[in-house]
Amino acid sequence: MVQALQKDYRSAPISEQDRVMLDYVVKLTKDATRDSPEDHAKLRAVGFDDRGILQITLIASWFNYINRAADALGVGRD
């Protein structure tokens, strides 16, 4: 499963809910300004409520922030 997710989550054997969530997270990671009410509607359609959407958004945003800060500071580089 891990290898399938690493290769391409879109073809990995995961639920539709997980796939829609990951589509949203990828979009936020690449360019959060492209987020739209349509994205939230897709999340709602697969079972996420407002609280779930907020949690997904905050967690993805936090990881994006912390990874960028670590990269900028050279954390993990020799």
Side-chain angles (χ1 to χ4, degrees):
M1 173 67 92
V2 172
Q3 290 175 344
L5 287 167
Q6 288 175 332
K7 184 177 179 183
D8 185 358
Y9 75 90
R10 292 168 294 188
S11 61
I14 58 175
S15 69
E16 181 65 14
Q17 187 180 49
D18 287 342
R19 192 172 333 283
V20 170
M21 177 190 61
L22 290 172
D23 285 342
Y24 177 71
V25 168
V26 167
K27 190 172 186 178
L28 286 179
T29 299
K30 289 183 177 181
D31 184 356
T33 64
R34 291 182 45 229
D35 180 38
S36 71
E38 272 184 16
D39 297 304
H40 299 158
K42 289 177 186 176
L43 289 163
R44 284 188 189 91
V46 295
F48 291 105
D49 59 9
D50 287 345
R51 184 179 179 150
I53 294 168
L54 176 62
Q55 289 174 331
I56 293 164
T57 303
L58 292 175
I59 291 167
S61 297
W62 185 82
F63 273 96
N64 285 328
Y65 160 76
I66 207 70
N67 285 329
R68 281 176 177 75
D71 288 346
L73 296 171
V75 174
R77 284 189 246 157
D78 292 335

